[in-house]
Amino acid sequence: MNLDKLINENKRDRGLEPFPVSDKELCDRYEQVYTSAVNDVLREDGLVYQTLPKDIMPLKEGMRVAGIAFTVKGSKNLTLTNEMEYRAQMLEAVSPESVVVWDTSGDDESAQWGEIMTMASKRRGCRGAVVDGGVRDTDKVLSQDFPVFCKYRTSNGMLGRFRMIGYQMPVMLGNVKIFPGDILFGDIDGVICVPRDKAYGVLLKAEEIQKNEKEIKQMILDGMTPTQVVKEGGYF
């Protein structure tokens, strides 16, 4: 059995190429567009399965976040030994302009994110968190003005229920494979993953869509019928 191709694909996160602009500028500009525009650009490139599960939504309406994926993998586990030490090691590895993304292996009981993780990550320059699981200390997370996207809220902590397996490794949320260094972008319509090697080009096209849609909206405000708008190159 020759697994070289599969192994090489799972090493796509190694040797990350820098973007043509700073990480901060790239992420700030993504936060000025919207997920629908990014989704449409990815679809044009044949990438039609880049949206994370639809029940991963912002903890509070109006939250938006874009950042570089810092991946974490875990699963249900009762083991307690060295769990806190490994969790601390992970938090100290979080880098500026990142979004921490948790692959929970389908956990439906524990909170993988809370007040203290928010504080520690924010001090590292992290921009937000995307959790395929739960959040607790909700009011204290919200008070820190830190964008979090998750499936549910619960008072259950991880210890004795859930355990990290590793971090900065390829993970999978729903049908979307996420590599460290990819771009995660979330708004009121959910979260989308943009492969790193396409992130800058996708951003430029999404910005162009946003500009074009301002013109289409103006056509409608000026009294054009939908048919006239389409004839002028618009769309709905």
Side-chain angles (χ1 to χ4, degrees), residues 155-227:
S155 61
N156 283 340
M158 289 189 288
L159 195 64
R161 301 183 178 94
F162 181 96
R163 187 180 179 90
M164 280 178 47
I165 295 170
Y167 58 91
Q168 287 299 71
M169 59 194 292
V171 297
M172 198 161 187
L173 276 66
N175 294 319
V176 184
K177 185 178 284 189
I178 303 171
F179 290 84
D182 287 346
I183 294 297
L184 287 181
F185 174 35
D187 63 16
I188 195 169
D189 289 327
V191 184
I192 194 163
C193 176
V194 184
R196 185 182 180 89
D197 60 349
K198 298 180 182 296
Y200 186 64
V202 167
L203 173 62
L204 294 179
K205 291 181 179 179
E207 289 175 333
E208 186 64 25
I209 287 175
Q210 185 164 261
K211 177 183 175 182
N212 291 342
E213 290 194 348
K214 288 181 180 178
E215 297 174 359
I216 294 170
K217 292 172 187 176
Q218 189 59 51
M219 292 179 195
I220 296 170
L221 290 173
D222 289 342
M224 284 190 179
T225 66
T227 300

Side-chain angles (χ1 to χ4, degrees), residues 2-3 7 18 39 45 67 72 75 117-118 131 138 145-147 151 157 159 161 168 170 181 186 188 205 213 229:
N2 188 343
L3 297 178
I7 292 170
N39 197 321
D45 202 23
V72 184
S75 65
M117 278 201 176
T118 298
V131 186
T138 302
D145 192 28
F146 185 83
K151 281 188 172 179
L159 195 64
R161 301 183 178 94
Q168 287 299 71
I188 195 169
K205 291 181 179 179
E213 290 194 348
V229 170

